[in-house]
Amino acid sequence: MPAPPLLIATTNPGKIREIQYVLAGVPRRLLTLADIAPIAEPEETGRTFAANAALKARTYAAASGLPTVAEDSGLAIDAIAGRPGVESARYPGDTYAEKFANLYRELAGHARPWTARFVCSLAFIDDQGTSAPAFVTEATVEGEITDEPRGAHGFGYDPIFFYPPYGCTLAEVTGDRKLAVAHRGKAFRAFRTWLRDVPF
Ligand code: ITT
């Protein structure tokens, strides 16, 4: 019996790379949005990561007719009440260099350490988006915002996210070292384990 399909529903190339790495070897035929007819990106209206993950999974499952996994993620900084949070992708700045500069402006005057976490909320829908997700999970990684960006690996806010056990930012380590400890790696490993036990 051929492996059933699984749509990885994200438009973010950094996420795709990490998710494909973690899900390699699962008994599913992994598809990305590039493999199917174009689907309009849903507006992320949820106020929580979990709500937006479910919204994305439902939208892409309904439009594609495929079992679909989606995630919503972001950076939550304690000194500024958890911002940018669910707005991380839309935080002001056309480039990440600009986003970092704007964040440093916001953080100026707030006492250090600037503790923060990355959050990844995952939702999987195995029908056509008509019911509640069959699997959800949320994972985090704790760290601190650095004084200046460092490192060229990873994507997004990785250069300003200092991970104390490694003594460097998540952009200064290889992809597999990041995934071993970070939010997306944890969430998708939990999903991978769950998928293994699902009969198909
Ligand atoms: P999709 O909705 O299509 O999945 P997106 O990038 O718009 O792509 P989100 O709305 O979930 O996804 O925004 C997540 C943002 O949070 C992402 O664009 C980065 O700015 C940031 N982010 C999430 N995970 C990150 C990570 O591992 N490293 C660095 N930044 C991260």
Side-chain angles (χ1 to χ4, degrees):
M1 191 168 70
L6 172 64
L7 177 64
I8 301 169
T10 175
T11 61
N12 182 318
K15 289 188 186 180
I16 293 176
R17 223 176 25 243
E18 294 190 359
I19 295 168
Q20 284 178 326
Y21 185 92
V22 177
L23 294 184
V26 299
R28 298 270 173 162
R29 188 161 49 88
L30 300 182
L31 301 171
T32 67
L33 295 172
D35 299 314
I36 63 171
I39 296 172
E41 255 188 80
E43 202 188 333
E44 297 181 22
T45 52
R47 292 174 56 188
T48 62
F49 294 109
N52 281 331
L55 183 153
K56 287 188 248 188
R58 256 197 314 275
T59 305
Y60 287 108
S64 68
L66 295 166
T68 298
V69 65
E71 64 98 291
D72 198 59
S73 49
L75 175 67
I77 305 174
D78 294 319
I80 51 174
R83 298 184 57 253
V86 292
E87 299 293 332
S88 293
R90 297 175 292 279
Y91 186 75
D94 289 338
T95 62
Y96 277 91
E98 284 176 25
K99 289 185 198 300
F100 300 160
N102 287 330
L103 264 184
Y104 285 131
R105 259 192 292 278
E106 264 203 71
L107 285 171
H110 288 279
R112 288 183 181 75
W114 295 326
T115 55
R117 68 203 49 77
F118 277 125
V119 182
C120 174
S121 206
L122 175 158
F124 169 68
I125 294 218
D126 62 4
D127 59 15
Q128 293 184 359
T130 49
S131 60
F135 179 82
V136 294
T137 191
E138 188 164 288
T140 60
V141 57
E142 300 288 328
E144 290 168 20
I145 303 303
T146 52
D147 285 334
E148 57 181 15
R150 287 202 301 265
H153 294 281
F155 68 96
Y157 296 93
D158 285 338
I160 60 165
F161 190 88
F162 180 81
Y163 180 61
Y166 284 171
C168 65
T169 73
L170 289 183
E172 293 179 289
V173 295
T174 54
D176 55 337
R177 287 198 83 206
K178 175 188 168 187
L179 277 170
V181 297
H183 52 315
R184 187 166 300 99
K186 290 177 185 169
F188 279 82
R189 280 193 297 276
F191 177 54
R192 187 181 68 190
T193 301
W194 179 82
L195 262 185
R196 280 202 184 127
D197 296 337
V198 177
F200 67 87

